[in-house]
Amino acid sequence: MHSDDIMSSETMLYIPEYDAHGNLCTRVIERHYEYISKLAPTKLMDYNLRYFGSSLRGAFDGSKMILGKLNKNPIVVHERSNIVWFPSKSYLRPECKWFAVHHIKDYQAMDKKSTQVIFMNGYEINVDLSVRAFENRIQRAFLLKYKLEKRTKNLLVQYDQGKVQRMANNVIFEDESEND
C-alpha cells in the first residue's frame, strides 16, 4: 500500500483503469492531484474503510439498515467527516466508478445512457448511466447522510439529557448546605 491510498476529504473519484500488464488499478482523482493506485477501485474502497475502522461489507450492511435493501447503495466512508460515496454500477463489476457525493457540483445528460458529471473543481467525467439513474444515486447518498445525521443528533440529544439528569441528581445546593 502507498500512503496516497488513504483517502481524504479531497478525494473525489475512483476510476478503474488497466495497467500495461492488464491489472485492474484505480485512477484516484483528488481536488488538486491525481495518481494511479495498484489496487482495483473496490479493493481500494475496502482498504480505506478498514483503515477508518469498518469494511465494505459493513458499510453496505449499515447502508441497507438505514435505507433498506437497494441496489448500488451509497456508503458512509467516514461518519464524523460526513463522507458518503456511491458506486456507478455494482461494486462487483470491474468498470464500477466510485463518487464522493460532496464533490459533485452538477451533472447533465449526454444522451439516454450517458451522463456528464461536473465536480466542484471543474473536473468533468462521463459515466455510462442515464441522468435519471445517476440522480437517483445522488439522492440516495443525500438521504443516507440525512438519516444518519438525524440518528446521530438524536443520540447526542438523548446523551445530553441523560447527562443533565445525572448532574441534577448529584447536585448539592449551596443554600441547603449552609442551613445544616
Side-chain angles (χ1 to χ4, degrees):
M1 300 306 133
H2 190 269
S3 63
D4 283 340
D5 285 339
I6 304 302
M7 73 168 53
S8 73
S9 62
E10 301 280 303
T11 311
M12 305 185 324
L13 177 66
Y14 287 169
I15 303 171
E17 191 172 295
Y18 290 93
D19 68 11
H21 305 288
N23 300 313
L24 182 59
C25 300
T26 303
R27 178 168 298 277
V28 177
I29 308 296
E30 298 196 346
R31 189 154 21 116
H32 302 292
Y33 177 66
E34 67 180 74
Y35 68 94
I36 300 292
S37 168
K38 293 183 183 202
L39 294 174
T42 298
K43 289 185 189 270
L44 184 57
M45 182 59 71
D46 188 50
Y47 173 76
N48 273 278
L49 285 160
R50 289 175 187 277
Y51 180 84
F52 290 117
S54 183
S55 68
L56 191 58
R57 180 76 265 143
F60 277 127
D61 286 348
S63 180
K64 186 168 76 171
M65 178 75 174
I66 294 169
L67 295 177
K69 188 174 182 179
L70 301 169
N71 290 326
K72 300 157 212 79
N73 268 4
I75 58 170
V76 176
V77 174
H78 194 272
E79 181 184 347
R80 189 175 302 156
S81 299
N82 227 347
I83 297 176
V84 175
W85 285 61
F86 64 91
S88 63
K89 301 184 176 298
S90 166
Y91 70 95
L92 298 172
R93 296 184 61 181
E95 65 272 18
C96 175
K97 295 175 179 71
W98 286 89
F99 294 86
V101 73
H102 65 283
H103 280 287
I104 296 172
K105 179 180 181 180
D106 203 3
Y107 52 92
Q108 60 190 20
M110 297 304 291
D111 57 42
K112 288 183 178 183
K113 295 183 179 183
S114 181
T115 301
Q116 181 183 48
V117 182
I118 301 118
F119 290 84
M120 298 288 189
N121 68 347
Y123 185 87
E124 297 178 3
I125 187 171
N126 290 341
V127 61
D128 294 333
L129 273 176
S130 71
V131 73
R132 184 177 180 133
F134 189 80
E135 187 168 63
N136 284 340
R137 287 189 182 60
I138 287 179
Q139 288 173 350
R140 287 197 314 240
F142 278 110
L143 182 61
L144 178 61
K145 282 178 76 159
Y146 169 76
K147 286 187 171 192
L148 190 58
E149 285 172 6
K150 189 174 173 183
R151 288 179 180 196
T152 302
K153 186 176 181 179
N154 186 39
L155 179 65
L156 292 174
V157 167
Q158 289 174 354
Y159 173 77
D160 286 343
Q161 288 173 345
K163 187 174 171 184
V164 168
Q165 184 62 42
R166 283 191 305 277
M167 287 172 53
N169 290 339
N170 293 327
V171 169
I172 299 174
F173 294 99
E174 290 179 24
D175 291 342
E176 292 175 6
S177 61
E178 288 178 7
N179 293 338
D180 287 340

